[in-house]
Amino acid sequence: MSLVWVPLLVPFLAVPAARRLADALAPRRAAALLVCVAVGLAGCTAAALALLVIPGASYLPWVAAAGELLTPLADGPPAVTVGVSVAAAGLLGASAAAVTVRLLGHRADLRDARARAGAVRGELAVVPDARPDAFALPGRPGRIVVTTAMLRALEPDERTALFAHERAHLRGRHHLLLAAVDLAARCHPALRGLRAPLGYALERIADEAAADAVGDRALAARAVGRAALAGGPAPRPRTVLAATAGPVPRRVAALLGREMGARPAPRLRRAVAAGLLLCLVTTGAAELSAADTLHAHIEVAQGERP
């Protein structure tokens, strides 16, 4: 069962590799990579903790009776096995509670944001507010929420670009991707490092959609920059996306074809991709091996194997 610890340690190596690789990919591919890595590693973390719980639980009479176990599943000292199982159960329970709390909080945030937007018809919800703000509010239907202060801060053509940006978030259902990584981060602390690069990738996707919609990359860059300069702290849900979010100077530079920071060389990029793939394969293989070992222990404990 020693391999069961691998999925708990690999995220500390995989997350930096995923961040590095995402910087070298197009925004859509980067977003897909980050979500897959986060969800996959979170699932492996939860499964590893569950596998650690089972051996210690086999010392409980009712568990042994339910599993028809003649002997406990662990060969080591009972105190160590039970202690590890208790710790794993605590972490698993804490993760489940954190995910539940975040889900409920997300629903409450969206409900409050919809109430703030009002019961208006149509795609655009204009909110009287002295704070410049605009964001994509998911729902059925999704809406673009913009304050009167933000409308006053932008020129008409810049508003068009801003609305196209937020519309891209709604069309791509980007809030679901951000929520998936946000929840995954509740399962393993290392996964928190994937949220910021995912947010950037999603904003870049929307930036490119806005540039395509208005047919002018400079206009889209100007709209993003002016909206960010006008905007400030605003009460919006954590998992909604806004044109003013993320590293705005870097996004503006990308729209203008002046990417800030050198991308990794192709050879380094391939090495990082290979390292990330190795991490993910190792995690999956270790999880399967640990599960197979546990199954063998169960058969022995049930007297099905000598």
Side-chain angles (χ1 to χ4, degrees):
M1 289 287 287
S2 59
L3 289 176
V4 77
W5 297 100
V6 172
L8 303 178
L9 299 176
V10 162
F12 292 105
L13 299 175
V15 167
R19 290 173 61 104
R20 183 72 171 172
L21 186 58
D23 283 341
L25 296 177
R28 289 186 186 278
R29 291 185 177 181
L33 169 74
L34 294 168
V35 172
C36 289
V37 168
V39 173
L41 292 179
C44 287
T45 296
L49 291 174
L51 290 176
L52 286 171
V53 169
I54 295 174
S58 68
Y59 284 92
L60 297 174
W62 63 270
V63 173
E68 300 180 350
L69 304 176
L70 303 178
T71 61
L73 298 180
D75 298 329
V80 174
T81 302
V82 172
V84 170
S85 293
V86 169
L91 291 173
L92 194 59
S95 296
V99 168
T100 301
V101 169
R102 184 64 211 125
L103 277 174
L104 295 176
H106 176 55
R107 291 182 60 184
D109 287 346
L110 290 180
R111 185 169 59 249
D112 292 345
R114 292 191 188 103
R116 180 187 171 209
V120 297
R121 293 185 177 182
E123 180 188 50
L124 187 64
V126 179
V127 178
D129 198 319
R131 294 168 296 190
D133 192 24
F135 58 88
L137 179 61
R140 296 183 180 178
R143 287 193 173 93
I144 299 170
V145 179
V146 60
T147 65
T148 50
M150 180 63 82
L151 292 178
R152 288 193 297 268
L154 301 179
E155 299 295 331
D157 54 353
E158 294 169 346
R159 296 175 197 161
T160 301
L162 178 70
F163 296 157
H165 176 103
E166 305 301 351
R167 191 175 296 117
H169 284 318
L170 294 174
R171 187 169 55 246
R173 301 182 71 80
H174 292 167
H175 69 287
L176 294 179
L177 304 181
L178 202 59
V181 173
D182 196 34
L183 294 177
R186 266 62 183 177
C187 298
H188 196 292
L191 299 180
R192 296 171 189 168
L194 296 179
R195 194 183 189 282
L198 175 63
Y200 172 73
L202 295 177
E203 293 300 339
R204 284 286 298 116
I205 293 172
D207 288 343
E208 292 297 327
D212 290 342
V214 299
D216 187 339
R217 298 181 68 84
L219 170 58
R222 188 168 70 248
V224 168
R226 291 192 64 178
L229 289 174
R236 71 170 75 103
R238 177 181 174 85
T239 49
V240 303
L241 293 111
T244 57
V248 173
R250 185 181 174 195
R251 290 168 48 204
V252 170
L255 280 169
L256 297 177
R258 306 167 188 165
E259 188 72 36
M260 297 174 67
R263 290 192 171 189
R267 182 176 297 179
L268 177 59
R269 195 160 58 234
R270 287 192 292 269
V272 172
L276 178 59
L277 180 61
L278 179 62
C279 286
L280 298 178
V281 170
T282 300
T283 300
E287 197 77 58
L288 291 174
S289 178
D292 185 64
T293 300
L294 178 63
H295 182 263
H297 286 176
I298 291 175
E299 290 185 337
V300 171
Q302 290 175 334
E304 296 179 5
R305 287 191 186 184

